[in-house]
Amino acid sequence: MASSEPADRPLVLRERGLAASPGAVPALVLALSAAERTQLRGLRCTACGRQVLLQLPRGSALEPGEWLAATAAEPLVQVRAAAEELLQVRSADPLALLQAAYHLGNRHVAMEIRAGELRLLADSVLAHLLEHRGLQVDQLQAPFQPESGAYGPIHGHSPIHGHGHSHDH
């Protein structure tokens, strides 16, 4: 006798890194913040409101565009980077921007580094510090894909302070 799962029960996702055919349209989209992409277990909600339960093997953070599945009979789920409240930091002086990246890095602030700008999670104290340094700081809502840092590979490392060194100074 085949068991059918009630629609209100979450879809349990246990597989990741699946290959979808080129141009495949995901049945479900799971938009996650940068912090949420580092958490491989727990209840989440897809864009259409369906609950999914992540029970993925330990390892690297989920990457935007990655495909997840429960079983071959269940729909594929694609991970997307959710829009977050960010600070966009720019300067006409490349050295000033580089110095800002240095100071933010010393504070272990997760940053997305782009040509001519830095992006970081919105924080009023950091915004004030950066404005005080003469940088242009704007708020925006956009997907956040911070650098992984020096303590992990470029792809697949936890982007939110997940490195392995000690802070005992």
Side-chain angles (χ1 to χ4, degrees), residues 94-162:
L95 181 58
L97 199 59
L98 186 59
Q99 288 170 331
Y102 173 82
H103 289 290
L104 292 168
N106 275 344
R107 288 178 167 78
H108 294 268
V109 173
M111 280 181 287
E112 182 175 344
I113 301 171
R114 296 171 160 238
E117 72 180 60
L118 304 173
R119 289 185 179 186
L120 55 140
L121 292 172
D123 179 303
S124 61
V125 172
L126 292 176
H128 178 74
L129 173 127
L130 294 164
E131 288 167 345
H132 182 72
R133 296 187 62 83
L135 298 159
Q136 178 183 341
V137 179
D138 297 302
Q139 291 195 354
L140 72 131
Q141 184 140 9
F144 183 48
Q145 297 185 60
E147 294 291 318
S148 63
Y151 295 92
I154 292 175
H155 296 288
H157 178 70
S158 170
I160 306 297
H161 204 109

Side-chain angles (χ1 to χ4, degrees), residues 8 16 29-30 39 59 73 76 79 103 117 139 151-152:
D8 60 341
R16 64 183 290 192
V29 172
L30 186 59
Q39 301 164 4
L76 285 177
V79 175
H103 289 290
E117 72 180 60
Q139 291 195 354
Y151 295 92

Side-chain angles (χ1 to χ4, degrees), residues 6 10 15 18 21 23 32-35 37 40-41 63 78 89 91 96 136 149 158 160 164:
E15 296 183 49
L18 303 168
S21 57
L32 301 172
S33 70
R37 293 192 305 271
L40 304 178
R41 303 209 168 231
E63 294 289 332
Q78 189 176 42
V89 183
S91 175
Q136 178 183 341
S158 170
I160 306 297

Side-chain angles (χ1 to χ4, degrees), residues 2-12 14 50-51 70-71 74:
S3 69
S4 63
E5 297 232 355
D8 60 341
R9 292 196 66 188
L11 177 64
V12 180
R14 292 188 172 102
R50 179 149 184 206
Q51 286 193 330
T71 65
E74 296 287 349

